[in-house]
Amino acid sequence: MDSNLIPAGILWRKSSYSGDQGGDCVEVAMTALCIAVRDSKTPAESIITAGPAAFTHFLDWAAATPLPR
């Protein structure tokens, strides 16, 4: 998706699994057109975006996929 879909000043939320000690954190932001995901350590770098239906499909897939041991 086009990065122009992410307006300046958008509210980013950190994963509830992220602690307050820094480290590996994922942040998510939502607009009417897309869901955006970024790494909190490098917020100005790559941002992944997907439409709401595609993001919901991804979350359903991730929840149903067992983690490797």
Side-chain angles (χ1 to χ4, degrees):
M1 288 201 139
D2 188 350
S3 62
N4 293 331
L5 297 176
I6 304 169
I10 192 168
L11 176 64
W12 289 91
R13 296 183 303 148
K14 191 179 290 188
S15 168
S16 61
Y17 289 99
S18 299
D20 57 1
Q21 302 298 315
D24 299 328
C25 302
V26 173
E27 294 179 318
V28 177
M30 294 185 293
T31 72
L33 299 175
C34 73
I35 287 70
V37 180
R38 71 180 182 182
D39 183 343
S40 64
K41 293 185 305 296
T42 55
E45 292 184 19
S46 298
I47 296 173
I48 298 169
T49 60
F55 194 72
T56 299
H57 180 73
F58 167 74
L59 291 178
D60 291 343
W61 170 83
T65 303
L67 294 173
R69 292 182 182 238

